[in-house]
mmCIF file of all heavy atoms in Angstrom:
data_model
loop_
_atom_site.group_PDB
_atom_site.id
_atom_site.type_symbol
_atom_site.label_atom_id
_atom_site.label_comp_id
_atom_site.label_asym_id
_atom_site.label_seq_id
_atom_site.Cartn_x
_atom_site.Cartn_y
_atom_site.Cartn_z
ATOM 1 N N PRO A 333 75.145 82.341 110.788
ATOM 2 C CA PRO A 333 75.039 83.187 111.985
ATOM 3 C C PRO A 333 75.659 84.608 111.757
ATOM 4 O O PRO A 333 75.287 85.502 112.527
ATOM 5 C CB PRO A 333 75.781 82.413 113.084
ATOM 6 C CG PRO A 333 75.937 81.013 112.559
ATOM 7 C CD PRO A 333 75.866 81.037 111.063
ATOM 8 N N LEU A 334 76.679 84.686 110.937
ATOM 9 C CA LEU A 334 77.286 86.020 110.703
ATOM 10 C C LEU A 334 76.258 87.110 110.246
ATOM 11 O O LEU A 334 76.467 88.215 110.499
ATOM 12 C CB LEU A 334 78.431 85.937 109.577
ATOM 13 C CG LEU A 334 79.763 85.277 109.991
ATOM 14 C CD1 LEU A 334 80.634 85.422 108.789
ATOM 15 C CD2 LEU A 334 80.335 86.003 111.241
ATOM 16 N N ALA A 335 75.169 86.616 109.522
ATOM 17 C CA ALA A 335 74.209 87.515 109.004
ATOM 18 C C ALA A 335 72.948 87.512 109.893
ATOM 19 O O ALA A 335 71.948 88.194 109.516
ATOM 20 C CB ALA A 335 73.881 87.213 107.619
ATOM 21 N N ALA A 336 72.947 86.764 110.950
ATOM 22 C CA ALA A 336 71.680 86.659 111.677
ATOM 23 C C ALA A 336 71.312 87.883 112.535
ATOM 24 O O ALA A 336 70.139 88.213 112.610
ATOM 25 C CB ALA A 336 71.776 85.378 112.619
ATOM 26 N N GLY A 337 72.309 88.495 113.098
ATOM 27 C CA GLY A 337 72.085 89.587 114.050
ATOM 28 C C GLY A 337 72.240 90.922 113.406
ATOM 29 O O GLY A 337 72.424 91.084 112.189
ATOM 30 N N MET A 338 72.200 91.954 114.189
ATOM 31 C CA MET A 338 72.569 93.281 113.877
ATOM 32 C C MET A 338 71.906 93.694 112.463
ATOM 33 O O MET A 338 70.728 93.731 112.341
ATOM 34 C CB MET A 338 73.994 93.519 113.851
ATOM 35 C CG MET A 338 74.615 93.110 115.302
ATOM 36 S SD MET A 338 76.287 93.631 115.585
ATOM 37 C CE MET A 338 77.221 92.560 114.592
ATOM 38 N N GLU A 339 72.733 94.160 111.475
ATOM 39 C CA GLU A 339 72.220 94.614 110.282
ATOM 40 C C GLU A 339 71.342 93.516 109.587
ATOM 41 O O GLU A 339 70.365 93.749 108.930
ATOM 42 C CB GLU A 339 73.256 94.940 109.245
ATOM 43 C CG GLU A 339 74.094 96.258 109.699
ATOM 44 C CD GLU A 339 73.120 97.435 109.892
ATOM 45 O OE1 GLU A 339 72.702 97.963 108.826
ATOM 46 O OE2 GLU A 339 72.833 97.776 110.948
ATOM 47 N N GLY A 340 71.776 92.187 109.751
ATOM 48 C CA GLY A 340 71.097 91.123 109.129
ATOM 49 C C GLY A 340 69.615 91.084 109.633
ATOM 50 O O GLY A 340 68.710 90.671 108.934
ATOM 51 N N PHE A 341 69.517 91.280 110.924
ATOM 52 C CA PHE A 341 68.206 91.194 111.554
ATOM 53 C C PHE A 341 67.309 92.405 111.232
ATOM 54 O O PHE A 341 66.162 92.256 110.875
ATOM 55 C CB PHE A 341 68.357 91.147 113.166
ATOM 56 C CG PHE A 341 67.079 91.097 113.861
ATOM 57 C CD1 PHE A 341 66.414 89.849 113.984
ATOM 58 C CD2 PHE A 341 66.423 92.182 114.289
ATOM 59 C CE1 PHE A 341 65.288 89.682 114.648
ATOM 60 C CE2 PHE A 341 65.235 92.084 115.116
ATOM 61 C CZ PHE A 341 64.643 90.861 115.191
ATOM 62 N N PHE A 342 67.899 93.561 111.154
ATOM 63 C CA PHE A 342 67.031 94.732 110.878
ATOM 64 C C PHE A 342 66.895 95.041 109.421
ATOM 65 O O PHE A 342 66.029 95.791 109.030
ATOM 66 C CB PHE A 342 67.622 95.969 111.535
ATOM 67 C CG PHE A 342 67.327 96.028 113.060
ATOM 68 C CD1 PHE A 342 68.185 95.506 113.896
ATOM 69 C CD2 PHE A 342 66.110 96.524 113.539
ATOM 70 C CE1 PHE A 342 67.961 95.404 115.310
ATOM 71 C CE2 PHE A 342 65.857 96.557 114.894
ATOM 72 C CZ PHE A 342 66.780 95.979 115.715
ATOM 73 N N ARG A 343 67.673 94.377 108.522
ATOM 74 C CA ARG A 343 67.626 94.591 107.099
ATOM 75 C C ARG A 343 67.522 93.212 106.360
ATOM 76 O O ARG A 343 68.517 92.799 105.735
ATOM 77 C CB ARG A 343 68.798 95.422 106.573
ATOM 78 C CG ARG A 343 68.889 96.782 107.245
ATOM 79 C CD ARG A 343 70.056 97.641 106.647
ATOM 80 N NE ARG A 343 69.750 98.054 105.270
ATOM 81 C CZ ARG A 343 70.656 98.585 104.416
ATOM 82 N NH1 ARG A 343 71.887 98.838 104.863
ATOM 83 N NH2 ARG A 343 70.329 98.862 103.252
ATOM 84 N N PRO A 344 66.386 92.552 106.483
ATOM 85 C CA PRO A 344 66.235 91.187 105.908
ATOM 86 C C PRO A 344 66.700 91.219 104.470
ATOM 87 O O PRO A 344 66.178 92.043 103.673
ATOM 88 C CB PRO A 344 64.840 90.830 106.053
ATOM 89 C CG PRO A 344 64.230 91.778 107.038
ATOM 90 C CD PRO A 344 65.095 93.003 107.119
ATOM 91 N N GLY A 345 67.547 90.253 104.079
ATOM 92 C CA GLY A 345 67.881 90.142 102.646
ATOM 93 C C GLY A 345 68.973 91.019 102.182
ATOM 94 O O GLY A 345 69.543 90.888 101.131
ATOM 95 N N HIS A 346 69.374 91.995 103.045
ATOM 96 C CA HIS A 346 70.512 92.961 102.725
ATOM 97 C C HIS A 346 71.797 92.211 102.359
ATOM 98 O O HIS A 346 72.452 92.509 101.380
ATOM 99 C CB HIS A 346 70.678 93.942 103.930
ATOM 100 C CG HIS A 346 71.858 94.775 103.804
ATOM 101 N ND1 HIS A 346 72.067 95.668 102.744
ATOM 102 C CD2 HIS A 346 72.941 94.758 104.602
ATOM 103 C CE1 HIS A 346 73.333 96.272 102.934
ATOM 104 N NE2 HIS A 346 73.907 95.781 104.039
ATOM 105 N N PHE A 347 72.116 91.353 103.293
ATOM 106 C CA PHE A 347 73.540 90.701 103.040
ATOM 107 C C PHE A 347 73.492 89.737 101.952
ATOM 108 O O PHE A 347 74.520 89.591 101.242
ATOM 109 C CB PHE A 347 74.067 90.029 104.343
ATOM 110 C CG PHE A 347 74.460 91.094 105.337
ATOM 111 C CD1 PHE A 347 74.025 91.087 106.680
ATOM 112 C CD2 PHE A 347 75.400 92.091 104.975
ATOM 113 C CE1 PHE A 347 74.474 92.078 107.611
ATOM 114 C CE2 PHE A 347 75.864 93.064 105.937
ATOM 115 C CZ PHE A 347 75.402 92.988 107.160
ATOM 116 N N GLN A 348 72.381 89.123 101.673
ATOM 117 C CA GLN A 348 72.322 88.204 100.504
ATOM 118 C C GLN A 348 72.536 89.131 99.310
ATOM 119 O O GLN A 348 73.364 88.669 98.383
ATOM 120 C CB GLN A 348 70.870 87.600 100.432
ATOM 121 C CG GLN A 348 70.826 86.294 99.513
ATOM 122 C CD GLN A 348 71.890 85.258 99.809
ATOM 123 O OE1 GLN A 348 72.147 84.976 101.018
ATOM 124 N NE2 GLN A 348 72.579 84.700 98.796
ATOM 125 N N GLY A 349 71.870 90.218 99.156
ATOM 126 C CA GLY A 349 72.075 91.111 97.996
ATOM 127 C C GLY A 349 73.513 91.680 97.910
ATOM 128 O O GLY A 349 74.080 91.777 96.898
ATOM 129 N N MET A 350 74.046 92.038 99.070
ATOM 130 C CA MET A 350 75.410 92.558 99.136
ATOM 131 C C MET A 350 76.405 91.518 98.693
ATOM 132 O O MET A 350 77.229 91.773 97.797
ATOM 133 C CB MET A 350 75.642 93.033 100.577
ATOM 134 C CG MET A 350 77.024 93.615 100.835
ATOM 135 S SD MET A 350 78.440 92.534 100.943
ATOM 136 C CE MET A 350 78.061 91.662 102.407
ATOM 137 N N ALA A 351 76.294 90.242 99.231
ATOM 138 C CA ALA A 351 77.286 89.188 98.845
ATOM 139 C C ALA A 351 77.138 88.953 97.385
ATOM 140 O O ALA A 351 78.181 88.673 96.668
ATOM 141 C CB ALA A 351 76.994 87.891 99.651
ATOM 142 N N GLU A 352 75.932 88.903 96.872
ATOM 143 C CA GLU A 352 75.753 88.629 95.364
ATOM 144 C C GLU A 352 76.456 89.722 94.544
ATOM 145 O O GLU A 352 77.216 89.398 93.630
ATOM 146 C CB GLU A 352 74.305 88.668 95.093
ATOM 147 C CG GLU A 352 73.937 87.655 94.130
ATOM 148 C CD GLU A 352 72.476 87.286 94.272
ATOM 149 O OE1 GLU A 352 72.258 86.361 95.155
ATOM 150 O OE2 GLU A 352 71.618 87.888 93.680
ATOM 151 N N VAL A 353 76.303 90.918 94.900
ATOM 152 C CA VAL A 353 76.920 92.029 94.071
ATOM 153 C C VAL A 353 78.460 92.012 94.258
ATOM 154 O O VAL A 353 79.139 92.095 93.202
ATOM 155 C CB VAL A 353 76.313 93.353 94.300
ATOM 156 C CG1 VAL A 353 76.891 94.039 95.580
ATOM 157 C CG2 VAL A 353 76.575 94.297 93.070
ATOM 158 N N VAL A 354 78.912 91.787 95.456
ATOM 159 C CA VAL A 354 80.374 91.721 95.503
ATOM 160 C C VAL A 354 80.971 90.527 94.774
ATOM 161 O O VAL A 354 81.953 90.668 94.054
ATOM 162 C CB VAL A 354 80.774 91.597 97.071
ATOM 163 C CG1 VAL A 354 82.261 91.405 97.306
ATOM 164 C CG2 VAL A 354 80.399 92.925 97.801
ATOM 165 N N TYR A 355 80.239 89.422 94.803
ATOM 166 C CA TYR A 355 80.688 88.247 94.062
ATOM 167 C C TYR A 355 80.810 88.532 92.546
ATOM 168 O O TYR A 355 81.831 88.302 91.971
ATOM 169 C CB TYR A 355 79.741 87.045 94.254
ATOM 170 C CG TYR A 355 80.273 85.750 93.612
ATOM 171 C CD1 TYR A 355 81.109 84.906 94.307
ATOM 172 C CD2 TYR A 355 79.913 85.487 92.322
ATOM 173 C CE1 TYR A 355 81.528 83.799 93.639
ATOM 174 C CE2 TYR A 355 80.373 84.467 91.691
ATOM 175 C CZ TYR A 355 81.234 83.520 92.327
ATOM 176 O OH TYR A 355 81.668 82.343 91.730
ATOM 177 N N ARG A 356 79.677 89.154 92.075
ATOM 178 C CA ARG A 356 79.691 89.562 90.584
ATOM 179 C C ARG A 356 80.758 90.590 90.289
ATOM 180 O O ARG A 356 81.341 90.509 89.194
ATOM 181 C CB ARG A 356 78.290 89.966 90.241
ATOM 182 C CG ARG A 356 77.287 88.832 90.133
ATOM 183 C CD ARG A 356 75.936 89.192 89.745
ATOM 184 N NE ARG A 356 74.958 88.130 89.685
ATOM 185 C CZ ARG A 356 74.328 87.793 88.651
ATOM 186 N NH1 ARG A 356 74.318 88.490 87.582
ATOM 187 N NH2 ARG A 356 73.605 86.677 88.697
ATOM 188 N N LEU A 357 80.965 91.557 91.133
ATOM 189 C CA LEU A 357 81.939 92.556 90.905
ATOM 190 C C LEU A 357 83.361 91.926 90.860
ATOM 191 O O LEU A 357 84.188 92.258 90.108
ATOM 192 C CB LEU A 357 81.907 93.689 91.885
ATOM 193 C CG LEU A 357 80.658 94.584 91.741
ATOM 194 C CD1 LEU A 357 80.506 95.528 92.973
ATOM 195 C CD2 LEU A 357 80.721 95.431 90.447
ATOM 196 N N LEU A 358 83.588 91.041 91.820
ATOM 197 C CA LEU A 358 84.916 90.340 91.858
ATOM 198 C C LEU A 358 85.145 89.580 90.588
ATOM 199 O O LEU A 358 86.236 89.427 90.114
ATOM 200 C CB LEU A 358 85.038 89.522 93.123
ATOM 201 C CG LEU A 358 85.119 90.176 94.482
ATOM 202 C CD1 LEU A 358 85.119 89.180 95.627
ATOM 203 C CD2 LEU A 358 86.312 91.041 94.564
ATOM 204 N N GLU A 359 84.071 88.893 90.190
ATOM 205 C CA GLU A 359 84.143 88.062 88.928
ATOM 206 C C GLU A 359 84.594 88.917 87.769
ATOM 207 O O GLU A 359 85.376 88.552 86.902
ATOM 208 C CB GLU A 359 82.767 87.538 88.658
ATOM 209 C CG GLU A 359 82.701 86.239 87.970
ATOM 210 C CD GLU A 359 81.197 85.765 87.956
ATOM 211 O OE1 GLU A 359 80.303 86.592 87.721
ATOM 212 O OE2 GLU A 359 81.051 84.607 88.077
ATOM 213 N N ILE A 360 84.023 90.182 87.660
ATOM 214 C CA ILE A 360 84.410 91.099 86.578
ATOM 215 C C ILE A 360 85.778 91.694 86.744
ATOM 216 O O ILE A 360 86.567 91.744 85.806
ATOM 217 C CB ILE A 360 83.263 92.172 86.523
ATOM 218 C CG1 ILE A 360 81.872 91.526 86.161
ATOM 219 C CG2 ILE A 360 83.611 93.231 85.390
ATOM 220 C CD1 ILE A 360 80.717 92.475 86.334
ATOM 221 N N VAL A 361 86.056 92.203 87.902
ATOM 222 C CA VAL A 361 87.260 92.998 88.111
ATOM 223 C C VAL A 361 88.476 92.146 88.331
ATOM 224 O O VAL A 361 89.617 92.415 87.960
ATOM 225 C CB VAL A 361 87.078 94.074 89.274
ATOM 226 C CG1 VAL A 361 88.402 94.851 89.513
ATOM 227 C CG2 VAL A 361 85.919 94.990 89.041
ATOM 228 N N ARG A 362 88.298 91.006 89.019
ATOM 229 C CA ARG A 362 89.325 90.039 89.390
ATOM 230 C C ARG A 362 90.550 90.707 90.046
ATOM 231 O O ARG A 362 91.672 90.634 89.589
ATOM 232 C CB ARG A 362 89.892 89.346 88.127
ATOM 233 C CG ARG A 362 88.667 88.548 87.425
ATOM 234 C CD ARG A 362 89.237 87.833 86.201
ATOM 235 N NE ARG A 362 88.142 87.771 85.209
ATOM 236 C CZ ARG A 362 88.272 87.653 83.880
ATOM 237 N NH1 ARG A 362 89.445 87.448 83.398
ATOM 238 N NH2 ARG A 362 87.228 87.540 83.083
ATOM 239 N N PRO A 363 90.278 91.373 91.129
ATOM 240 C CA PRO A 363 91.478 92.092 91.812
ATOM 241 C C PRO A 363 92.211 91.209 92.662
ATOM 242 O O PRO A 363 91.845 90.075 92.969
ATOM 243 C CB PRO A 363 90.671 93.049 92.767
ATOM 244 C CG PRO A 363 89.385 92.324 93.124
ATOM 245 C CD PRO A 363 89.022 91.571 91.888
ATOM 246 N N ASP A 364 93.418 91.644 93.026
ATOM 247 C CA ASP A 364 94.245 90.887 94.004
ATOM 248 C C ASP A 364 93.948 91.337 95.418
ATOM 249 O O ASP A 364 94.017 90.559 96.357
ATOM 250 C CB ASP A 364 95.774 91.244 93.733
ATOM 251 C CG ASP A 364 96.201 90.809 92.367
ATOM 252 O OD1 ASP A 364 96.215 89.697 92.095
ATOM 253 O OD2 ASP A 364 96.343 91.769 91.438
ATOM 254 N N ARG A 365 93.512 92.598 95.574
ATOM 255 C CA ARG A 365 93.161 93.136 96.932
ATOM 256 C C ARG A 365 91.957 93.952 96.856
ATOM 257 O O ARG A 365 91.687 94.676 95.944
ATOM 258 C CB ARG A 365 94.297 94.044 97.440
ATOM 259 C CG ARG A 365 95.522 93.269 97.802
ATOM 260 C CD ARG A 365 96.529 94.010 98.640
ATOM 261 N NE ARG A 365 97.737 93.286 98.402
ATOM 262 C CZ ARG A 365 98.989 93.793 98.364
ATOM 263 N NH1 ARG A 365 99.116 95.075 98.513
ATOM 264 N NH2 ARG A 365 100.058 93.004 98.279
ATOM 265 N N LEU A 366 91.078 93.650 97.905
ATOM 266 C CA LEU A 366 89.824 94.308 98.017
ATOM 267 C C LEU A 366 89.775 95.137 99.216
ATOM 268 O O LEU A 366 90.037 94.685 100.246
ATOM 269 C CB LEU A 366 88.734 93.162 98.102
ATOM 270 C CG LEU A 366 87.374 93.561 98.371
ATOM 271 C CD1 LEU A 366 86.744 94.337 97.232
ATOM 272 C CD2 LEU A 366 86.417 92.297 98.554
ATOM 273 N N PHE A 367 89.574 96.391 98.991
ATOM 274 C CA PHE A 367 89.706 97.377 100.148
ATOM 275 C C PHE A 367 88.253 97.725 100.673
ATOM 276 O O PHE A 367 87.470 98.275 99.843
ATOM 277 C CB PHE A 367 90.446 98.663 99.715
ATOM 278 C CG PHE A 367 91.890 98.367 99.341
ATOM 279 C CD1 PHE A 367 92.230 97.939 98.043
ATOM 280 C CD2 PHE A 367 92.870 98.451 100.376
ATOM 281 C CE1 PHE A 367 93.593 97.555 97.782
ATOM 282 C CE2 PHE A 367 94.186 98.103 100.127
ATOM 283 C CZ PHE A 367 94.577 97.713 98.862
ATOM 284 N N MET A 368 88.095 97.471 101.935
ATOM 285 C CA MET A 368 86.685 97.653 102.404
ATOM 286 C C MET A 368 86.860 98.443 103.822
ATOM 287 O O MET A 368 87.883 98.295 104.488
ATOM 288 C CB MET A 368 85.940 96.477 102.627
ATOM 289 C CG MET A 368 85.743 95.666 101.321
ATOM 290 S SD MET A 368 84.709 94.269 101.442
ATOM 291 C CE MET A 368 83.040 95.007 101.417
ATOM 292 N N GLY A 369 85.829 99.198 104.212
ATOM 293 C CA GLY A 369 85.890 99.931 105.451
ATOM 294 C C GLY A 369 85.367 99.204 106.621
ATOM 295 O O GLY A 369 84.429 98.377 106.585
ATOM 296 N N GLN A 370 86.007 99.459 107.788
ATOM 297 C CA GLN A 370 85.616 98.895 109.049
ATOM 298 C C GLN A 370 84.278 99.382 109.457
ATOM 299 O O GLN A 370 83.542 98.737 110.170
ATOM 300 C CB GLN A 370 86.605 99.316 110.141
ATOM 301 C CG GLN A 370 86.295 98.737 111.502
ATOM 302 C CD GLN A 370 87.117 99.183 112.679
ATOM 303 O OE1 GLN A 370 88.231 99.532 112.473
ATOM 304 N NE2 GLN A 370 86.501 99.213 113.854
#
Side-chain angles (χ1 to χ4, degrees):
L334 285 182
M338 305 195 289
E339 292 302 287
F341 181 80
F342 283 93
R343 303 183 67 188
H346 166 67
F347 284 128
Q348 195 57 40
M350 182 282 293
E352 214 151 276
V353 77
V354 171
Y355 185 88
R356 286 178 180 237
L357 288 169
L358 291 175
E359 206 174 44
I360 295 167
V361 178
R362 301 177 212 162
D364 300 290
R365 291 196 194 140
L366 173 63
F367 295 86
M368 301 186 76
Q370 181 187 333

